[in-house]
């Protein structure tokens, strides 16, 4: 939890899902975990679904009951840029790899029906 807090405090974005941490894997250190969580979420679970920002640009959100739509709304609302964007569809999956300084994208349709959609790729097209 200390690493997560340091990341947030240095300007990173963290998203917690389902439950906020309360227990330490080390005996007798549960209160340290609660203190670290409270530095990010002062109201603990009452801060659910809010994007909290710190003075260094760090962002944090707690999603107690996450689903694809809720996670997408939080991620897109965060202002982060994504390498790929397309309308939310759980049947579409992709992998983006960089090999020999070239971007390679593999898209697949996990569903049983054909899909026609628009996909936006970040960067410059050198082709």
């Amino acid at each position: 939890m200390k690493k997560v807090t340091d990341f947030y405090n240095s300007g990173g974005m963290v998203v917690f899902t389902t439950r906020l941490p309360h227990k330490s894997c080390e005996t007798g250190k549960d209160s340290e975990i609660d203190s670290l969580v409270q530095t990010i979420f002062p109201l603990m679970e009452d801060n659910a679904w809010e994007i909290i920002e710190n003075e260094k640009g760090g962002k944090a959100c707690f999603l107690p009951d996450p689903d694809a739509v809720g996670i997408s709304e939080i991620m897109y609302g965060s202002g982060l840029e994504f390498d790929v964007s397309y309308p939310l569809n759980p049947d579409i999956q992709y992998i983006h790899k960089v090999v020999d300084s070239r971007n390679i994208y593999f898209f697949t349709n996990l569903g049983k029906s054909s899909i026609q959609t628009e996909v936006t790729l970040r960067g410059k097209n050198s082709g």
Side-chain angles (χ1 to χ4, degrees):
M1 190 62 216
K2 177 75 172 111
K3 295 272 186 191
V4 171
T5 306
D6 290 345
F7 179 70
Y8 168 73
N9 288 334
S10 67
M13 180 171 181
V14 295
V15 177
F16 294 83
T17 62
T18 311
R19 296 182 63 190
L20 290 174
H22 291 285
K23 299 283 184 188
S24 173
C25 60
E26 299 176 61
T27 304
K29 298 203 176 194
D30 291 352
S31 63
E32 288 180 38
I33 299 298
D34 279 336
S35 293
L36 288 168
V37 170
Q38 271 191 309
T39 64
I40 299 173
F41 299 104
L43 301 176
M44 300 296 277
E45 281 82 2
D46 289 341
N47 286 127
W49 296 100
E50 297 175 41
I51 295 179
I52 296 173
E53 293 188 50
N54 65 25
E55 62 281 349
K56 292 201 175 173
K59 297 178 183 179
C61 187
F62 168 52
L63 311 177
D65 190 21
D67 60 16
V69 173
I71 291 172
S72 292
E73 287 175 357
I74 291 297
M75 298 306 287
Y76 284 105
S78 71
L80 295 174
E81 287 189 33
F82 298 94
D83 59 339
V84 175
S85 64
Y86 52 87
L88 183 62
N89 185 329
D91 289 341
I92 299 173
Q93 299 283 313
Y94 79 94
I95 297 172
H96 174 199
K97 300 282 185 179
V98 178
V99 178
D100 297 327
S101 300
R102 296 179 68 189
N103 290 293
I104 299 171
Y105 299 88
F106 176 75
F107 290 84
T108 188
N109 173 3
L110 300 176
K112 295 187 185 210
S113 57
S114 64
I115 296 173
Q116 185 171 349
T117 191
E118 184 174 305
V119 174
T120 303
L121 306 177
R122 183 179 63 180
K124 294 180 182 178
N125 182 355
S126 60

